Amino acid sequence: MQIIHVILLFTLINLFACSPPKEAPLKIIANSWIGYSPLFYAKEKGWLEPLNIKILTVISLGESLNIYESAELDAFTGTQYEFNQVQQKDPSILPIIIFDRSNGGDSIMANQSIQDLQKTTQTIDVYLEIHSVNQLVFKDFIKTHHLSHKKFNYINKNQLKIYSILQAEIPTNTPTIIITYSPYAQKLSSLGLQELASTRNGLELLVIDALFTPKQTYLQNQSKFKQLKKLIDQAVIDLETDPHQYYETVKMHLEDISYHDFLNSLKGIEWLNTHPLPIELQQRLNQAQFPIQDLI
């Protein structure tokens, strides 16, 4: 019997030794922006498990980028700002899936009107995520509305922290600007803050949301990324067919916003998941040196 046990033990050891190592998952990081919700929907539906794709969700754009770089993840969602930041360190980075164009989803909110901000001699508090597209949105806003000469006190916080601070107390004596995006814009509006401009009105900036990955990662996982694109397309179809079911599926990734605010947030984006991209948009992306030749 002992001989038989020894033989079985060696057989098992040989089987484990010969079995191939488990394939590492393809890891994607995304922040809580409604434009990335098709990823969250695919995750919660269980569609990503057969593809061995993992989605990590964080609050801020800057945090997403930092974790992508420090944890050596495979892909990240972001705007052209994040793309340009990574491209300086990794020239091989490229956009492979475009989700949407911000059409009111990124906005400027404040406790005063534009006219009052233009007249003020006080230093203006500015809440924003500095290392993100918030910075570009703010620069475009102050240039468009002739505020570049004003003095600003920058307060660098993620959107959830900004909301928590202002929920506790809205400044009354200090002029205050908040650079935000859906769904946080809806939360800030409920506090009584007013929208001064957005990517629909009062801003000239083009903001595109996409999935980015290094070229080598794309080539090694091309089939997975193509299947992921089909799942994203299906998620958008499900959203348009049954928005409430979609909302219930993804709301935990969007800071549990109400269904009403969810529907309002959708008005701030234009889905661009189908091909081809509008000619006018292709021209603007080419002018911005944003590569589109590898888009799935």
Side-chain angles (χ1 to χ4, degrees):
M1 290 293 293
Q2 286 182 335
I3 295 174
I4 293 174
H5 286 161
V6 170
I7 293 172
L8 286 173
L9 179 61
F10 274 106
T11 302
L12 288 171
I13 290 173
N14 285 332
L15 282 172
F16 281 115
C18 295
S19 46
K22 189 175 180 180
E23 182 186 15
L26 187 70
K27 291 170 286 189
I28 299 171
I29 190 162
N31 78 295
S32 303
W33 161 245
I34 197 166
Y36 305 138
S37 62
L39 286 176
F40 311 146
Y41 185 82
K43 174 184 178 180
E44 296 304 324
K45 283 292 187 180
W47 295 348
L48 303 183
E49 292 176 13
L51 297 179
N52 199 19
I53 295 176
K54 301 291 184 184
I55 304 294
L56 292 77
T57 311
V58 293
I59 294 172
S60 78
L61 286 163
E63 185 183 10
S64 174
L65 198 56
N66 288 336
I67 295 175
Y68 164 76
E69 294 178 328
S70 61
E72 298 182 351
L73 303 183
D74 300 298
F76 68 94
T77 60
T79 68
Q80 61 267 43
Y81 176 88
E82 287 75 33
F83 166 69
N84 290 332
Q85 293 299 301
V86 176
Q87 190 183 45
Q88 292 175 22
K89 304 171 185 177
D90 181 5
S92 76
I93 201 77
L94 48 86
I96 55 171
I97 298 173
I98 283 188
F99 292 92
D100 63 85
R101 164 169 51 185
S102 177
N103 185 29
D106 294 89
S107 56
I108 308 285
M109 306 196 75
N111 64 348
Q112 296 184 7
S113 67
I114 291 176
Q115 292 75 20
D116 288 337
L117 291 172
Q118 289 170 337
K119 293 175 184 176
T120 188
T121 57
Q122 292 180 262
T123 298
I124 302 171
D125 282 348
V126 181
Y127 287 87
L128 78 169
E129 297 176 50
I130 287 180
H131 301 295
S132 77
V133 73
N134 280 185
Q135 193 169 341
L136 297 184
V137 171
F138 179 65
K139 286 182 178 179
D140 187 58
F141 172 73
I142 62 174
K143 178 183 177 182
T144 302
H145 296 282
H146 312 292
L147 294 167
S148 301
H149 62 287
K150 298 294 182 180
K151 292 182 180 179
F152 300 106
N153 173 39
Y154 296 101
I155 302 169
N156 183 22
K157 303 287 183 183
N158 68 47
Q159 295 296 322
L160 187 58
K161 185 64 175 177
I162 292 171
Y163 174 70
S164 298
I165 292 171
L166 297 176
Q167 185 183 35
E169 183 179 7
I170 297 290
T172 55
N173 297 322
T174 305
T176 303
I177 292 174
I178 306 97
I179 320 303
T180 188
Y181 49 85
S182 299
Y184 300 100
Q186 285 72 26
K187 291 176 176 287
L188 292 170
S189 178
S190 70
L191 300 179
L193 293 162
Q194 58 182 306
E195 182 180 277
L196 302 185
S198 74
T199 43
R200 182 185 296 116
N201 296 304
L203 292 175
E204 298 177 2
L205 182 69
L206 172 69
V207 179
I208 291 291
D209 293 295
L211 179 68
F212 304 92
T213 192
K215 190 173 186 66
Q216 188 62 31
T217 302
Y218 173 63
L219 293 176
Q220 292 172 348
N221 298 275
Q222 197 166 0
S223 176
K224 280 189 180 182
F225 281 122
K226 287 182 177 180
Q227 292 179 74
L228 177 62
K229 174 63 168 63
K230 291 179 180 179
L231 296 178
I232 290 170
D233 292 345
Q234 184 58 53
V236 175
I237 291 172
D238 287 3
L239 167 61
E240 294 170 345
T241 303
D242 189 347
H244 191 267
Q245 179 272 145
Y246 184 98
Y247 160 76
E248 290 292 339
T249 305
V250 303
K251 67 179 181 180
M252 69 184 73
H253 297 281
L254 301 175
E255 303 305 318
D256 289 319
I257 63 172
S258 69
Y259 183 55
H260 177 266
D261 285 346
F262 171 76
L263 294 178
N264 281 335
S265 296
L266 289 174
K267 297 175 184 176
I269 60 174
E270 175 189 352
W271 294 111
L272 295 172
N273 58 300
T274 56
H275 285 297
L277 293 174
I279 297 298
E280 171 268 335
L281 179 59
Q282 291 185 41
Q283 292 172 344
R284 290 191 67 180
L285 291 173
N286 286 331
Q287 290 170 0
Q289 298 183 325
F290 186 89
I292 58 175
Q293 68 273 8
D294 293 298
L295 290 175
I296 299 171

